[in-house]
Amino acid sequence: MQEAGRSKKPTLFGRFLNGVEAVGNRLPHPITLFALLSLAIILLSALCAALGVSAAGEMVNSKTGEVELQTFRAVSLLDRDGLAYMLTNAVSNFTGYAPLGTVLVAMLGVGVAEGSGFISALLKKAAQVTPRALISPMVIFLGVMSNVASDAGYVVLIPVGALMFRAYGRHPVAGLAAAFAGVSGGFSANLIIGTLEPLLCGITNEAVRLIDPNYTVLPTGNLYFMMASVGLIVLLGTLITDHVVEPRLEAFDGESSAEEEIHSLTARENAALRTAGWILLLMAAGTALLAFPKNSFLRNAETGDLIAGAPLMGGIILIIALFFFVPAVVFGLRSGSFSGEREVCAAMGQAMSAMGGYIALAFVSSQLINYFNYTRLGTILALRGAEALEASGIGGIPLMLLFILFSAFLNLFMGSASAKWTILAPVFVPMFMLLGYTPELTQIAYRIGDSCTNLITPLMGYFAMIIVFARRYDPRAGIGTLISIMLPYSMAFLAGWSLMLILWMLAGLPVGPGAGLTL
């Protein structure tokens, strides 16, 4: 896409990405495309139901926690119940679409921070102290670490990543891609325990009971491997951003002006930034003090945990929105960009008006995802695929690699990590235990596959939102543009992470405290 970058003869891989982009962008508008995909699911569900397509397998019952043999049959959306479902659930599908509320609440705070100039001032200050060469690894690292707060990175860090790159005179879409790669592609990697570990290990433990009722997988069972994975994702993400993605992007119109203004903070803005910074520190300290007591309302009432089932994590989006909103208002009033509450409210309204395209896209996207879940086509695909792998007769490392690839493929159709693991764990955890491998290792293989293709599937809940953010800087951006930008990350993460797992297994290293590779 970059004229300068494309003046040279593109490589074979570059021509492939250009082809992906061209084909993808010849598709209809994303709203139309999601509507057509919804229609395709409706027709396919009727066909599969008429043919009696079904699949059976042992699964963890989400209500009882027990492993049960369950049979799933394709459900038609064109019979009496299906037509009634589409008619009566259209509104609830939309209002219950998890990314919608998350995005809009977060953007209230972020929008005020942008409108007041607070984010711009922060980025200019950061540009004065951070070397340009470190901006890519910094954005990707922050993206990887953001999964501690569940989905907060999607709605906060990705648009901010674009602004950070722009402040450094680099293409904002490259910053958006780098942040997206860290947040979504590196979703399983982290230096500490996040919200995903307790969720997955609970499902794993139910599957473990089929072989050894006394074996328990802890939330720390993958900690060593996932800590090491942070460095791998940051390294690969930086190389892809700097040497593959950004050279393909067209020169951004605002690049030169942004570069000239990096160091242009006035004395009044500097003073306002210091005041807002102190307010932000006080808010962080106050939150920490509120969370410290064992009986804090921010902790899980039963376990006292600050992560799993804690109100702190349940309300993290509102907390983050406030962490943007309050310092931004202080900055705006001190710097003069806001003269009173009317300007603050106007900034909030402007932030919401900018999300109009996303709201329209979210309506059709929510219908597609819910139709796919209702018809059980994804579950049947997962169970049939698991049967095929189980019957392949392949063992050891090759089967582990096939499992990673299967998880990555399945992720293109089922976005929820816990939903897929509920289906796959009762099959693959016992299978690999009988081959002599620990459940912790099997869980790692699943997490690798599950993370890598988040970047290229339109069925990922936040995919539509990323397209809307990209269009701020490239009005022509569509599904093809985003997939062609993110495909190199997806391929590199899948290959690099799989190779790391093989080397880890060959070296016989533990994957977590008290968790080895073999039984």
Side-chain angles (χ1 to χ4, degrees), residues 289-301 303-306:
L289 288 174
L290 285 173
F292 182 76
K294 293 294 183 182
N295 62 344
S296 169
F297 74 95
L298 294 176
R299 294 178 178 269
N300 185 309
T303 65
D305 199 303
L306 271 173

Side-chain angles (χ1 to χ4, degrees), residues 36 81 90 103 110 116 121 124 126 185 201 213 225 231 244 254 261 285 301 338 405 422 427 440 461 472 493:
L36 291 174
D81 291 339
V103 170
V110 174
S116 68
K124 290 176 183 178
C201 76
F225 186 86
V244 178
E261 296 176 2
F338 290 157
L405 292 174
T422 297
V427 177
E440 290 88 349
R472 291 183 178 182
F493 289 174

Side-chain angles (χ1 to χ4, degrees), residues 11 31 83 97 119 153 189 194 217 236 251 275 278 328 331 350 373 421 430 443 459 463 481 501:
T11 63
I31 293 178
L83 292 170
Y97 187 51
I119 288 181
V217 177
L236 293 176
T275 304
W278 281 113
F331 176 87
Q350 188 174 359
N373 292 335
W421 192 228
Q443 186 173 277
L459 290 179
F463 197 85
T481 304
L501 181 62

Side-chain angles (χ1 to χ4, degrees), residues 23-295:
V23 171
N25 285 344
R26 286 195 184 100
L27 295 172
H29 188 283
I31 293 178
T32 305
L33 181 61
F34 278 104
L36 291 174
L37 288 173
S38 299
L39 178 61
I41 293 297
I42 293 171
L43 298 176
L44 183 62
S45 71
L47 176 62
C48 291
L51 295 175
V53 175
S54 64
E58 290 183 326
M59 292 180 56
V60 179
N61 189 305
S62 59
K63 295 181 179 179
T64 65
E66 299 295 326
V67 177
E68 302 174 353
L69 179 63
Q70 300 182 47
T71 300
F72 294 89
R73 294 179 174 82
V75 178
S76 174
L77 281 165
L78 287 179
D79 62 13
R80 178 185 177 89
D81 291 339
L83 292 170
Y85 168 81
M86 290 189 289
L87 180 65
T88 59
N89 286 273
V91 174
S92 60
N93 287 344
F94 178 50
T95 57
Y97 187 51
L100 180 65
T102 300
V103 170
L104 296 183
V105 171
M107 288 307 295
L108 285 173
V110 174
V112 172
E114 284 193 84
S116 68
F118 179 53
I119 288 181
S120 176
L122 280 175
L123 296 177
K124 290 176 183 178
K125 182 62 70 174
Q128 295 175 8
V129 298
T130 306
R132 179 187 173 95
L134 294 182
I135 183 62
S136 293
M138 181 175 71
V139 168
I140 296 167
F141 174 75
L142 292 175
V144 172
M145 294 302 296
S146 72
N147 67 57
V148 172
S150 190
D151 294 345
Y154 284 101
V155 294
V156 176
L157 186 64
I158 290 176
V160 171
L163 294 172
M164 291 176 74
F165 266 56
R166 184 177 181 183
Y168 281 77
R170 298 181 59 180
H171 202 295
V173 174
L176 180 146
F180 187 22
V183 172
S184 197
F187 188 73
S188 279
N190 213 299
L191 297 178
I192 57 178
I193 300 298
T195 57
L196 186 62
E197 278 77 6
L199 183 63
L200 291 184
C201 76
I203 299 170
T204 303
N205 280 322
E206 295 302 325
V208 167
R209 292 182 188 175
L210 295 171
I211 302 297
D212 186 355
N214 298 317
Y215 194 107
T216 301
V217 177
L218 300 175
T220 57
N222 297 160
L223 184 60
Y224 295 160
F225 186 86
M226 290 309 168
M227 289 174 68
S229 297
V230 173
L232 176 74
I233 295 300
V234 171
L235 174 62
L236 293 176
T238 299
L239 293 174
I240 296 297
T241 301
D242 294 348
H243 300 290
V244 178
V245 170
E246 193 164 18
R248 294 187 62 250
L249 295 171
E250 293 179 355
F252 181 61
D253 292 340
E255 184 175 358
S256 58
S257 61
E259 196 166 17
E260 291 168 2
E261 296 176 2
I262 283 179
H263 303 291
S264 63
L265 284 177
T266 65
R268 187 174 182 181
E269 286 175 331
N270 271 309
L273 190 59
R274 283 194 297 271
T275 304
W278 281 113
I279 294 296
L280 187 60
L281 286 175
L282 288 173
M283 291 178 68
T287 303
L289 288 174
L290 285 173
F292 182 76
K294 293 294 183 182
N295 62 344

Side-chain angles (χ1 to χ4, degrees), residues 318-487:
L318 177 59
I319 293 172
I320 289 175
L322 290 173
F323 270 52
F324 274 98
F325 180 84
V326 176
V329 171
V330 172
F331 176 87
L333 294 174
R334 289 276 283 123
S335 67
S337 58
F338 290 157
S339 60
E341 50 87 20
R342 291 183 180 274
E343 284 80 6
V344 175
C345 294
M348 295 173 69
Q350 188 174 359
M352 290 299 97
S353 65
M355 298 306 294
Y358 170 69
I359 294 172
L361 189 55
F363 176 78
V364 290
S365 177
S366 65
Q367 307 308 318
L368 171 63
I369 292 173
N370 280 280
Y371 289 175
F372 203 72
N373 292 335
Y374 177 85
T375 59
R376 296 179 175 172
L377 294 178
T379 302
I380 292 171
L381 175 64
L383 290 171
R384 288 288 183 88
E387 288 175 6
L389 280 181
E390 191 174 15
S392 66
I394 302 173
I397 291 178
L399 181 58
M400 193 74 71
L401 292 177
L402 281 177
F403 178 47
I404 291 174
L405 292 174
F406 176 65
S407 300
F409 172 74
L410 186 59
N411 191 49
L412 297 172
F413 305 95
M414 295 182 69
S416 170
S418 59
K420 290 192 298 292
W421 192 228
T422 297
I423 297 169
L424 299 181
V427 177
F428 290 101
V429 169
M431 181 196 306
F432 282 116
M433 288 182 75
L434 293 174
L435 291 173
Y437 295 110
T438 62
E440 290 88 349
L441 178 61
T442 308
Q443 186 173 277
I444 284 174
Y446 167 71
R447 294 174 69 177
I448 291 173
D450 176 66
S451 294
C452 294
T453 48
N454 282 336
L455 304 170
I456 56 173
T457 171
L459 290 179
M460 197 273 290
Y462 291 97
F463 197 85
M465 181 197 74
I466 310 300
I467 295 176
V468 172
F469 285 149
R471 286 193 166 195
R472 291 183 178 182
Y473 309 103
D474 181 3
R476 299 168 300 172
I479 289 178
T481 304
L482 187 57
I483 291 179
S484 71
I485 288 173
M486 302 313 300
L487 186 59

